[in-house]
Amino acid sequence: MRAVQALGGVAVAATGTIAPQALITGPAYGGVLWWGDTETGEAIERALAKRDGPITPLIPGRPDTARVLSERHVCVDTTASGGNAALLGAAT
């Protein structure tokens, strides 16, 4: 947790053990950090793949800046409107 915070991220520390299946419907996470045995890591990865919504990555090993901080950007594809973004919001 301190490693994530030292890199500028926000961490939620788990207390005790979390069953991988609980990650399928749990709250939204930017990613799940795991360093431990391969079998559990694979179970966590399968559970995260079953989540609805945005992809939640499994981050194996000690966190680094690239994995702790995220950047969001939006791309609007105007190809369908012939390059005119105003037409994308028009009601039909």
Side-chain angles (χ1 to χ4, degrees):
M1 187 158 163
R2 281 186 243 157
V4 171
Q5 292 171 336
L7 294 167
V10 178
V12 177
T15 55
T17 303
I18 297 176
Q21 297 81 4
L23 296 171
I24 296 171
T25 59
Y29 304 109
V32 174
L33 296 170
W34 169 256
W35 53 94
D37 65 280
T38 303
E39 185 178 324
T40 303
E42 290 172 352
I44 292 170
E45 196 164 38
R46 284 190 299 273
L48 293 175
K50 293 178 183 177
R51 290 178 64 90
D52 289 331
I55 295 171
T56 304
L58 174 63
I59 304 167
R62 190 164 177 81
D64 59 20
T65 304
R67 294 178 170 174
V68 170
L69 299 178
S70 65
E71 176 181 336
R72 292 179 180 238
H73 52 272
V74 176
C75 176
V76 176
D77 183 355
T78 61
T79 306
S81 65
N84 186 346
L87 293 176
L88 292 175
T92 55

